[in-house]
Amino acid sequence: MVYSEKVNEMHCVAKGAKHENAPIPEEGKWVHAKEIKDISGLTHGIGWCAPQQGACKLTLNIKDGIIQEALIETIGCSGMTHSAAMAGEILTGKTILEALNTDLVCDAINTAMRELFLQIVYGRSQSAFSEGGLTIGAGLDDLGKGNRSQVGTIYSTNLKGPRYLDLTEGYILELGLDENDEIIGYKYVNLGKMMDNIKAGIEPMEAIEKASGKYGRFDEAVKKIDPRKE
């Protein structure tokens, strides 16, 4: 290390008390994080692309600085979806510093990685106070039965009003309207359950019925419409 002449000529003053860095909460412990390997935790974060036309929700499970589990959920352009496929191969096995400097092509995924890095190194993880942290597989558990992301897709115009297309329960088959043409319920099909039924050998139409359900006062509707056609 090279010091300037001015620094070399200075008198050496003792620092005095040792001031430790502030500890951060990690998996039920307080840790003085000094190296990447000191970081553990599971956390989620959101990223967005430069034109802000798409977003990524990224879930990472980190043990001793290394990403052991990654869940990438995207909404937006088709390029982002394909970048997510690549990220699934790239992220796991890397340290969080390596992942921060990995070109994931899609801005939204890169931004999500940056946001997660900040959260995790400041101790703001979802597992900060969970003793021992969460097992590898906790990210997958977030998807629930059928291993499908929960997606909400609503379309609306001032002239024709709202259309529920996808909600927590799944793909919306029909909207139920009352005498004022207001939505009072809907019929849906859980696509994850439907595909599980088909893979189990059930005929497609029966599989759809078995995976379908109703919400709200759908049975009281005076009119039922297909939100994608009517």
Side-chain angles (χ1 to χ4, degrees), residues 33-215:
K34 298 179 181 179
E35 300 179 43
I36 292 296
K37 66 180 179 62
D38 295 330
I39 302 297
S40 294
L42 181 140
T43 196
H44 315 269
I46 302 294
W48 54 94
C49 62
Q52 298 186 18
Q53 67 180 9
C56 167
K57 177 190 172 190
L58 182 61
T59 302
L60 298 179
N61 199 347
I62 299 157
K63 303 291 184 184
D64 301 322
I66 297 175
I67 298 170
Q68 299 292 344
E69 178 185 17
L71 172 62
I72 306 103
E73 300 172 88
T74 63
I75 183 168
C77 67
S78 58
M80 183 188 299
T81 307
H82 285 83
S83 293
M86 184 175 69
E89 297 193 21
I90 290 175
L91 290 174
T92 52
K94 282 185 166 53
T95 68
I96 56 173
L97 186 58
E98 286 178 303
L100 185 66
N101 289 290
T102 298
D103 184 8
L104 298 173
V105 181
C106 173
D107 288 338
I109 304 174
N110 284 326
T111 305
M113 185 63 230
R114 180 195 71 195
E115 296 301 308
L116 261 68
F117 182 90
L118 292 173
Q119 287 174 210
I120 206 80
V121 297
Y122 282 119
R124 291 170 175 84
S125 66
Q126 271 68 41
S127 59
F129 299 102
S130 301
E131 190 172 348
L134 298 179
T135 58
I136 310 304
L140 191 61
D141 290 341
D142 270 1
L143 294 176
K145 293 181 179 179
N147 289 342
R148 285 182 57 86
S149 298
Q150 291 191 16
V151 177
T153 309
I154 313 298
Y155 179 72
S156 180
T157 61
N158 188 42
L159 180 65
K160 296 294 184 177
R163 298 292 188 279
Y164 300 171
L165 304 176
D166 290 276
L167 291 175
T168 302
E169 296 86 356
Y171 179 97
I172 305 303
L173 296 169
E174 290 182 293
L175 293 179
L177 309 179
D178 65 10
E179 61 276 5
N180 298 317
D181 280 336
E182 294 180 1
I183 299 170
I184 59 171
Y186 49 82
K187 182 179 180 180
Y188 63 87
V189 58
N190 184 307
L191 295 179
K193 290 180 180 178
M194 181 194 77
M195 289 306 301
D196 285 343
N197 290 339
I198 292 173
K199 287 188 290 184
I202 299 174
E203 288 297 315
M205 291 311 297
E206 185 183 352
I208 291 174
E209 277 306 310
K210 282 181 174 291
S212 295
K214 301 169 187 175
Y215 184 84

